[in-house]
């Protein structure tokens, strides 16, 4: 999942959770710090709400699903694995649906 995000942001200077936080940051993109935005009118309440949700959901999934699975030692039940995979699959689809917003080139 993080590898897909790296493909879109090309950020290798920050940790995985920070990747998500930066990718969906409210801040405008800067050179070398692109952003992901849900498509549509960025002032529309639903689009604003979706962007805010992604800003919280993506790092949350990283911290509560990916990190324990990668760094933990416990076994996961088949049901737990399917549920976690479903969440990560949904997040990956949403990331694919977002627009990549890059800083304008300097004159």
């Amino acid at each position: 999942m993080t590898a897909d995000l790296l493909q879109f942001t090309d950020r290798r200077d920050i940790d995985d959770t920070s990747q998500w936080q930066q990718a969906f940051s409210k801040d405008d993109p800067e050179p070398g710090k692109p952003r992901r935005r849900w498509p549509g009118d960025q002032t529309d309440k639903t689009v604003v709400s979706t962007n805010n949700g992604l800003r919280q959901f993506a790092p949350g999934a990283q911290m509560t699903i990916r990190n324990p699975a990668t760094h933990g030692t416990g076994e996961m039940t088949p049901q737990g694995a399917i549920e976690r995979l479903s969440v990560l699959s949904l997040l990956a689809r949403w990331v694919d649906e977002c627009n990549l917003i890059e800083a304008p080139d300097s004159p």
Side-chain angles (χ1 to χ4, degrees), residues 57-79:
F57 182 81
Q62 173 79 26
M63 291 184 284
T64 61
I65 297 173
R66 188 265 183 196
N67 285 353
T70 302
H71 305 294
T73 57
E75 289 286 320
M76 201 177 300
T77 66
Q79 182 64 34

Side-chain angles (χ1 to χ4, degrees), residues 1-2 5-6 10-12 15 18 20 26 32-33 36 43 47 58 61 74 81-83 88 92 94 96 100 103 106:
M1 175 65 83
T2 303
L5 185 64
L6 280 172
D10 199 30
R11 298 285 311 271
R12 290 168 172 59
D15 65 54
S18 294
W20 291 107
K26 287 183 180 181
K33 296 179 181 179
R36 302 294 291 184
T43 62
V47 173
I82 289 169
E83 291 168 352
L88 295 175
W94 285 342
D96 286 345
L100 178 65
S106 300

Side-chain angles (χ1 to χ4, degrees), residues 1-73:
M1 175 65 83
T2 303
D4 291 338
L5 185 64
L6 280 172
Q7 176 184 354
F8 291 116
T9 63
D10 199 30
R11 298 285 311 271
R12 290 168 172 59
D13 58 323
I14 54 179
D15 65 54
D16 294 343
T17 300
S18 294
Q19 288 271 351
W20 291 107
Q21 293 166 329
Q22 290 291 317
F24 291 109
S25 170
K26 287 183 180 181
D27 297 337
D28 289 332
E30 300 173 22
K33 296 179 181 179
R35 306 290 186 229
R36 302 294 291 184
R37 298 284 187 266
W38 192 254
D41 177 356
Q42 296 299 299
T43 62
D44 177 81
K45 285 184 178 183
T46 300
V47 173
V48 169
S49 177
T50 303
N51 281 323
N52 288 337
L54 285 167
R55 187 172 303 110
Q56 297 173 57
F57 182 81
Q62 173 79 26
M63 291 184 284
T64 61
I65 297 173
R66 188 265 183 196
N67 285 353
T70 302
H71 305 294
T73 57

